[in-house]
Amino acid sequence: MFTKPKVYMVTSTPENDYACLEVACTCCDEAYLFGVALSGVQAWQNGAFVQDAFPELPKQYREMLISGTCPECWTNMFGSGTDPGDFS
């Protein structure tokens, strides 16, 4: 069963269009912090695709926001020859 990751906004500065998000890997529980555009967070919350809301993030980290799977756990599950972008 798919478990949606918990994503928290740690801090934001609207005047700089900045937000810091925290997401923990649903496999290993390692926490990751992402600096993103606050406008992207708002777009994502309003239904934008993660790749459109956060084009500045590498696809491995966008995958964390979707599935909660960190890059290391992704490799452990699917092998080193796969990439989250292979399935989109």
Side-chain angles (χ1 to χ4, degrees), residues 5-51:
K6 292 183 174 98
V7 179
Y8 301 99
M9 188 178 314
V10 177
T11 188
S12 67
T13 53
E15 61 274 6
N16 295 328
D17 191 34
Y18 175 82
C20 180
L21 301 180
E22 179 182 318
V23 60
C25 177
T26 56
C27 299
C28 69
D29 213 30
E30 178 86 20
Y32 286 76
L33 296 173
F34 304 114
V36 295
L38 181 58
S39 57
V41 174
Q42 294 162 342
W44 189 44
Q45 290 173 332
N46 289 324
F49 291 118
V50 72
Q51 66 268 26

Side-chain angles (χ1 to χ4, degrees), residues 50-62:
V50 72
Q51 66 268 26
D52 296 330
F54 307 113
E56 70 276 14
L57 283 180
K59 57 188 166 186
Q60 296 88 343
Y61 298 123
R62 293 193 307 251

